[in-house]
Amino acid sequence: MKKVSEKTSRVQLPKTYSPREAEERWQVYWDRHDLFHASVAPTKKPFTIVIPPPNITGTLTMGHVLNNTIQDIFIRWKRMQGYEACWIPGTDHAGIATQNVVEKMLLKEGKTRYDLGRERFLEHVWQWKEEYGSAIIRQLRKLGCSCDWKRERFTMEESLSDAVQEIFIRLYNKGLIYRGNYIVNWCPKDLTAISDDEVNHAEVQGHLWYIRYPLENSDQSVNVATTRPETMLGDTALAVSPKDKRYGHLLGKNAILPIVGRKLPIVADEYVDPQFGTGIVKVTPAHDPNDFQIAERHGLEKLTVMDTSARMNERVPSQYQSLDRFVCRKQLLKDLEDGKYLVKVEDHVHSVGRCYRCDTVIEPYLSDQWFVRMKPVAEPALRAVLDGTIKFYPDHWVKTYEHWMTNIRDWCISRQLWWGHRIPVWYCTCGNCDHMVASKNHPTEQCPKCGCKQYRQDEDVLDTWFSSWLWPFSTLDWPKDNADLRYFYPTNTLVTGPDIIFFWVARMIMSGLEVMAEIPLPDGSARTEAKDVVPFHDVYFTSIIRDAQGRKMSKSLGNSPDPLDVIREYGADALRFTVVYLAPFGQDVLYANEQCEIGRNFANKIWNAGRFLLLNQSQLAEAGTKTSSPLQSQPLTDSLDLADRWILSRLQTTISSIDNALGNFRINEATRIIYDFIWHDYCDWYVEIIKNRLYESADASSKKTILGRAFWILEQALLLLHPFMPFVTEELWQHLGDRKAGDSISIQRWPIQDARWVDQRATEEMVFVQELIGAVRNIRSEMNVPPTKPCAVYLNSHDEKYLDLFNDTKAYLQRLARVDKSEAGLNMAKPLHAASAVVNGQEVYVPLEGLIDLDVERKRLGREISRIERILEGTRRKLAKTEFVKKAPPDIVESERQKEASFRTTLEKLRRNYQSLQE
């Protein structure tokens, strides 16, 4: 293919579209001309999207494809509508994941991060980031994402780190961040605390072990049920419900911890469920969050019996020390059984939490950590969604959001890592006081308590989400007041997955409401309304991508394709269009690579239409007709026939329908609207109809008019399709006219509906013509009329308006239904041996004599009728059996009913066709 240079001219298109060549060329072209950069434009409205920052350790997934395609559709649509469209890209530093990657690399060299020390280890991480951390950004560009690449941000870059420190210090000074010794979710593999939201809970089949605890100074004992026997080594009490009369006599007494021999006071607490197990529970305050609360209420000792790797520590009997918790469980159960302490074991289904990163079973662990008090910041964030300031699509997610925000717990934000934003808290090092100060810089003033001037910084880093919750404004250089921040904030639409509604969406709303009221609006006035302070106005939750069997795509199942492989095979446009086409609003996507044929065939369809028009344009030029650009600002209005008026009307309603669908976040609906218009209305009908006019007209001027109008409609269609399929539309648009350097379809004006061209009568008449042609085609197909044989068509009308319409559109029938003779009349008699159909109350007759061998066809139809009758009878007998209907799975029964209906319809058609051959 001839490459499109900085000044594009129209050339004959090759027979087939080459996605790879076009995609590479237009990526470079868009970048060279900086077409996607946004800047403050006081005369234009801004439209801002921030990309959900992918992890620097990540690669493109099908989830990314769907999410970012939807974002790109919105940003390209708004850019073409005249907004100053700004799509801010960037990546997340992914604390745990990135540190794991680099530590694994060091292990191959026989080293650990401790061998290097913190500073040198972080140098290695930054080196890794520079070399590998931009892979997913490069992949998003291959997908065609029209981000403002000059604005690419990274959560660990200097200005964003400053924002993290600023928000921490502000919340700390307000008393909303505190440090305390509490139970946290501990990952023994990553050796760090994680928040409640980062734990994946799942029901598992486990066991309930009943263990006998002797009573002090008594030959009696009590039985206690537990799902985690290894934690009993950290028991410091037993508890019963104060309402449980069975155990009131035990209160104030002590039990003896088996194997260990420690005295355990028996206390009464409202938390205890008398229906669980025996109604007596063990209290292990350092390894269970509920037991921790019991210990707080009763002043019990909190005894940690594991180290950070979930191995038993020195506080347990020597035979268990250094054993992994699950190995310890096996050994302890054996010892309990040998000592006659194990009473019984029951199967028991219970919930187990696992780390969302590495799937390790979480250990509740008593630890000094930093927390954010969530209730005060959650309340205004909940109101913003409930009152409609922020809208969710689909809106059923509002209930989920409300439930979580109403029951929110404090957020553990400290992580025992080296890679991340280090907590900006400094401690006095004298060893005699507990003074600490939150500061961006190393404190230089003396300690107000002891006079010491030596400080050390907290070793921990902040949760990765603590930086990404600032993303809508930290990417615009908050806390600095600047023109970009005033203009582009708040953002307009957030596109994300529902799985991070708590990790990210809710927290961004909280942080925006917490700090953004201080930044003035572009005109300098204060942000007094919630709509000006919230980080976004609309949140669109994408579907989950599942395979054809309905399973969620994952690496572990091996059912998730590499999108780059799909792009290489089908093209980026095909993949983009297909995943959105398959994604119904509020429902999951069932995806298989083969379905990308939808998008690839669609690209080829419009390519062939463009090639046909350009070929005819070239032929006119070769014949000596002057041909400048075939495009104009308005459609040519000379010699309009029904098809012209219809297609112009359909175009206008398509524009309106797409705007409405996108405006209501019905992206899947919008793809189907543009697909139907281009594939069916324009290519299958309009282009086919104008072929007759082009081939039969000897008038070059008429041909030029016909082509000019077809070109104009094609350009409008390309503009409408561009947000969905940017590459093929750019390629075709560049060839449809004489373009200057820097011209791009991506910055053309979006079509606006012109009501003058909406023609309801033309639409109704064309629908009749289409149904008439469809009826003739169906007759030809059902009666086995050879495709090469032309047929005659007669219309028996009961309304004169159909006679005129039939006579005016005979040429359509001739070309599209292979008709060589056509007549229409009022109360026309049915010809002999004619197949018939009814279109809008008018009878259509197709004489069959001379087209097919009537005897052969009668015999064929007779055999087929007999065959279908047998199948139908068998299906009916099966459905008549009460036992089958009651016992068979509902989907099987429904399938049989659908088959019965289908066979019945087929049989009716066959009998009707057979009868037409008898008359």
Side-chain angles (χ1 to χ4, degrees):
M1 180 189 292
K2 180 180 177 181
K3 289 191 176 181
V4 178
S5 63
E6 289 298 280
K7 184 176 185 304
T8 310
S9 61
R10 286 173 286 120
V11 296
Q12 183 176 327
L13 295 180
K15 288 185 178 180
T16 57
Y17 171 57
S18 173
R20 185 178 301 185
E21 182 181 344
E23 289 162 11
E24 292 174 356
R25 181 167 61 255
W26 294 119
Q27 285 172 29
V28 172
Y29 183 88
W30 293 334
D31 285 346
R32 183 187 305 132
H33 293 287
D34 205 15
L35 296 176
F36 307 140
H37 178 58
S39 56
V40 175
T43 60
K44 298 170 68 176
K45 286 185 178 181
F47 182 86
T48 315
I49 292 179
V50 290
I51 199 171
N55 292 343
I56 57 172
T57 57
T59 55
L60 196 64
T61 66
M62 292 305 298
H64 289 123
V65 170
L66 178 61
N67 183 291
N68 287 280
T69 295
I70 291 171
Q71 291 179 80
D72 197 40
I73 288 169
F74 281 122
I75 209 74
R76 288 181 184 270
W77 177 48
K78 289 298 181 180
R79 186 183 292 122
M80 295 172 75
Q81 283 188 322
Y83 288 80
E84 190 65 14
C86 180
W87 184 11
I88 302 174
T91 48
D92 188 278
H93 64 280
I96 295 174
T98 305
Q99 181 157 316
N100 280 342
V101 168
V102 177
E103 288 196 88
K104 286 178 181 177
M105 291 176 63
L106 289 174
L107 280 176
K108 292 179 180 179
E109 302 173 11
K111 298 177 183 178
T112 70
R113 58 173 159 144
Y114 302 104
D115 295 328
L116 300 179
R118 187 171 195 140
E119 187 174 339
R120 285 187 59 208
F121 175 76
L122 291 178
E123 288 176 1
H124 274 66
V125 180
W126 277 106
Q127 289 172 5
W128 181 91
K129 186 266 176 186
E130 292 304 313
E131 189 170 354
Y132 302 106
S134 297
I136 195 166
I137 292 294
R138 291 192 296 271
Q139 292 168 351
L140 288 173
R141 294 170 79 105
K142 285 187 174 295
L143 187 63
C145 295
S146 62
C147 296
D148 185 342
W149 299 110
K150 286 187 173 181
R151 292 182 180 274
E152 183 182 341
R153 309 308 298 265
F154 176 53
T155 52
M156 284 285 286
E157 66 182 79
E158 186 176 349
S159 65
L160 274 72
S161 294
D162 181 67
V164 169
Q165 294 176 4
E166 179 72 23
I167 193 74
F168 182 98
I169 293 168
R170 289 191 187 195
L171 296 179
Y172 176 84
N173 290 336
K174 288 180 68 173
L176 293 175
I177 286 183
Y178 64 95
R179 186 169 182 259
N181 194 239
Y182 293 94
I183 289 282
V184 296
N185 302 298
W186 186 267
C187 177
K189 181 178 183 297
D190 295 324
L191 301 181
T192 183
I194 60 176
S195 69
D196 293 339
D197 313 312
E198 296 170 312
V199 179
N200 293 328
H201 291 276
E203 296 290 318
V204 299
Q205 179 63 61
H207 297 92
L208 202 57
W209 288 274
Y210 288 80
I211 300 169
R212 183 174 64 84
Y213 282 61
L215 296 177
E216 184 184 27
N217 301 322
S218 171
D219 58 357
Q220 297 183 334
S221 60
V222 294
N223 295 334
V224 176
T226 180
T227 59
R228 298 199 302 150
E230 68 279 5
T231 62
M232 68 180 290
L233 299 175
D235 287 356
T236 57
L238 297 183
V240 299
S241 169
K243 300 176 182 178
D244 194 337
K245 296 180 181 180
R246 293 176 296 170
Y247 302 120
H249 67 285
L250 296 178
L251 297 179
K253 296 183 178 182
N254 294 325
I256 303 298
L257 180 61
I259 306 296
V260 178
R262 185 164 56 246
K263 292 181 181 180
L264 306 176
I266 302 174
V267 300
D269 195 273
E270 292 284 352
Y271 167 75
V272 180
D273 178 5
Q275 303 303 315
F276 176 77
T278 62
I280 304 178
V281 299
K282 56 193 280 307
V283 181
T284 316
H287 293 278
D288 184 281
N290 297 307
D291 291 1
F292 176 83
Q293 296 299 327
I294 294 175
E296 288 283 283
R297 289 190 286 270
H298 296 276
L300 302 174
E301 181 185 6
K302 304 176 184 73
L303 189 64
T304 303
V305 293
M306 297 181 198
D307 64 17
T308 56
S309 298
R311 292 182 175 276
M312 311 311 291
N313 63 19
E314 71 283 355
R315 293 177 177 173
V316 303
S318 59
Q319 65 265 38
Y320 307 122
Q321 290 177 14
S322 299
L323 292 181
D324 174 82
R325 55 186 164 165
F326 298 123
V327 175
C328 174
R329 176 184 294 181
K330 292 180 181 179
Q331 182 61 49
L332 177 60
L333 288 170
K334 182 179 182 303
D335 293 345
L336 288 170
E337 187 172 17
D338 292 344
K340 309 298 183 183
Y341 294 111
L342 186 60
V343 179
K344 63 177 179 177
V345 183
E346 292 179 348
D347 289 339
H348 178 67
V349 176
H350 63 112
S351 179
V352 172
R354 292 179 176 272
C355 175
Y356 83 116
R357 287 286 183 197
C358 62
D359 204 40
T360 301
V361 174
I362 290 299
E363 184 62 40
Y365 197 71
L366 185 62
S367 176
D368 270 337
Q369 302 290 341
W370 287 93
F371 297 85
V372 177
R373 299 185 198 278
M374 298 301 280
K375 282 287 186 185
V377 291
E379 288 171 2
L382 175 57
R383 282 197 305 274
V385 172
L386 295 182
D387 68 17
T389 303
I390 297 173
K391 292 185 169 68
F392 285 178
Y393 300 88
D395 62 3
H396 66 75
W397 288 110
V398 172
K399 284 294 183 185
T400 306
Y401 177 84
E402 180 181 13
H403 176 77
W404 186 77
M405 295 290 273
T406 303
N407 298 280
I408 198 167
R409 297 171 62 179
D410 287 355
W411 175 16
C412 177
I413 57 171
S414 47
R415 299 291 181 267
Q416 289 62 54
L417 304 170
W418 286 356
W419 173 244
H421 298 97
R422 195 164 175 181
I423 292 176
V425 170
W426 307 79
Y427 304 94
C428 175
T429 59
C430 70
N432 298 319
C433 77
D434 58 358
H435 179 64
M436 57 185 173
V437 59
S439 171
K440 294 181 183 179
N441 303 309
H442 194 295
T444 56
E445 69 278 5
Q446 66 181 23
C447 173
K449 289 188 176 181
C450 67
C452 176
K453 290 188 176 181
Q454 299 298 317
Y455 290 85
R456 64 175 178 83
Q457 188 174 1
D458 196 299
E459 293 292 323
D460 290 349
V461 300
L462 290 160
D463 177 12
T464 299
W465 298 103
F466 196 82
S467 54
S468 57
W469 79 322
L470 313 178
W471 191 247
F473 47 88
S474 64
T475 51
L476 294 166
D477 287 333
W478 181 88
K480 297 175 184 176
D481 180 8
N482 63 84
D484 276 359
L485 183 58
R486 291 187 180 196
Y487 180 72
F488 288 114
Y489 187 93
T491 68
N492 295 80
T493 299
L494 177 73
V495 180
T496 188
D499 53 331
I500 56 174
I501 188 173
F502 312 128
F503 288 130
W504 195 45
V505 179
R507 291 172 181 165
M508 284 190 290
I509 298 172
M510 294 180 209
S511 65
L513 289 167
E514 178 68 23
V515 303
M516 283 305 296
E518 69 190 38
I519 302 297
L521 290 164
D523 62 4
S525 60
R527 295 179 189 263
T528 57
E529 297 184 48
K531 68 179 179 63
D532 297 321
V533 182
V534 293
F536 29 73
H537 298 138
D538 299 302
V539 183
Y540 180 87
F541 293 106
T542 59
S543 308
I544 294 174
I545 306 283
R546 299 185 182 276
D547 65 16
Q549 300 176 42
R551 301 174 301 174
K552 185 176 180 179
M553 286 190 169
S554 68
K555 292 181 180 178
S556 60
L557 287 176
N559 64 342
S560 182
D562 183 341
L564 295 183
D565 290 340
V566 182
I567 289 173
R568 279 188 284 270
E569 182 175 358
Y570 294 95
D573 282 335
L575 176 58
R576 286 169 58 113
F577 188 85
T578 299
V579 294
V580 180
Y581 186 87
L582 295 174
F585 184 71
Q587 300 178 47
D588 293 345
V589 180
L590 295 180
Y591 172 86
N593 282 350
E594 300 75 31
Q595 291 171 304
C596 285
E597 293 285 350
I598 296 170
R600 179 162 66 183
N601 291 343
F602 189 34
N604 290 334
K605 186 80 170 181
I606 194 169
W607 180 264
N608 290 335
R611 186 172 182 273
F612 167 75
L613 295 181
L614 286 170
L615 183 62
N616 277 271
Q617 189 75 13
S618 299
Q619 290 173 352
L620 276 179
E622 291 170 4
T625 303
K626 185 178 180 181
T627 58
S628 58
S629 171
L631 301 177
Q632 54 278 322
S633 59
Q634 291 291 325
L636 296 173
T637 58
D638 298 342
S639 306
L640 292 177
D641 76 349
L642 173 61
D644 297 322
R645 290 185 286 110
W646 165 75
I647 196 67
L648 291 171
S649 181
R650 284 288 299 122
L651 173 62
Q652 300 310 313
T653 55
T654 297
I655 293 169
S656 175
S657 297
I658 290 177
D659 281 340
N660 183 64
L662 291 179
N664 288 287
F665 295 88
R666 301 277 180 174
I667 301 98
N668 161 263
E669 183 180 321
T671 62
R672 292 174 184 271
I673 292 167
I674 189 61
Y675 181 92
D676 286 342
F677 175 76
I678 292 177
W679 188 294
H680 300 298
D681 295 341
Y682 186 76
C683 295
D684 283 353
W685 287 101
Y686 187 67
V687 172
E688 290 302 314
I689 286 172
I690 67 171
K691 283 181 179 179
N692 257 18
R693 298 164 69 188
L694 288 173
Y695 297 155
E696 294 176 1
S697 175
D699 184 353
S701 178
S702 296
K703 287 186 177 181
K704 184 178 177 183
T705 299
I706 294 167
L707 278 174
R709 190 158 44 235
F711 270 119
W712 183 85
I713 296 167
L714 177 59
E715 183 184 36
Q716 301 305 298
L718 292 176
L719 294 172
L720 295 172
L721 181 61
H722 177 70
F724 306 91
M725 304 180 83
F727 294 110
V728 69
T729 52
E730 184 77 83
E731 180 80 359
L732 273 172
W733 183 85
Q734 292 283 353
H735 286 86
L736 294 188
D738 295 324
R739 311 301 186 191
K740 298 177 182 178
D743 275 353
S744 170
I745 191 174
S746 66
I747 54 175
Q748 302 308 303
R749 293 294 299 191
W750 181 258
I752 299 174
Q753 185 189 40
D754 188 340
R756 294 175 302 169
W757 294 106
V758 177
D759 189 332
Q760 186 60 33
R761 179 179 174 183
T763 300
E764 292 173 357
E765 290 179 347
M766 192 63 188
V767 168
F768 174 78
V769 173
Q770 289 173 319
E771 291 179 355
L772 175 62
I773 292 171
V776 176
R777 286 172 169 175
N778 285 340
I779 289 172
R780 293 181 63 103
S781 173
E782 290 174 3
M783 303 306 297
N784 281 339
V785 176
T788 56
K789 283 190 176 183
C791 67
V793 172
Y794 298 92
L795 180 72
N796 178 27
S797 179
H798 307 284
D799 189 331
E800 289 190 1
K801 72 177 182 180
Y802 289 111
L803 297 181
D804 294 336
L805 181 58
F806 184 85
N807 290 324
D808 290 342
T809 56
K810 285 184 177 181
Y812 300 177
L813 268 173
Q814 291 171 3
R815 174 158 187 85
L816 300 180
R818 195 154 181 77
V819 173
D820 63 352
K821 180 182 180 181
S822 53
E823 291 183 15
L826 295 173
N827 301 314
M828 179 183 290
K830 182 181 179 182
L832 183 65
H833 297 149
S836 63
V838 178
V839 177
N840 206 14
Q842 318 306 305
E843 286 98 13
V844 180
Y845 305 133
V846 177
L848 298 171
E849 198 159 9
L851 293 178
I852 59 175
D853 186 318
L854 298 180
D855 287 336
V856 170
E857 186 61 18
R858 287 190 196 99
K859 291 177 181 177
R860 185 190 72 81
L861 287 173
R863 289 193 300 270
E864 186 64 9
I865 288 170
S866 297
R867 187 180 73 85
I868 297 298
E869 284 176 337
R870 289 193 299 273
I871 297 174
L872 180 59
E873 180 59 28
T875 305
R876 284 173 172 168
R877 280 199 303 269
K878 183 182 290 187
L879 289 170
K881 293 179 181 177
T882 305
E883 187 177 353
F884 168 75
V885 174
K886 284 185 176 180
K887 294 186 176 181
D891 58 329
I892 298 296
V893 176
E894 179 59 25
S895 175
E896 289 299 313
R897 285 176 175 153
Q898 289 177 2
K899 282 196 285 185
E900 192 268 344
S902 175
F903 290 139
R904 189 173 62 248
T905 301
T906 301
L907 189 58
E908 289 171 359
K909 285 184 178 181
L910 291 170
R911 285 171 174 169
R912 187 169 59 248
N913 292 339
Y914 185 83
Q915 184 62 33
S916 69
L917 299 181
Q918 300 295 103
E919 297 171 348

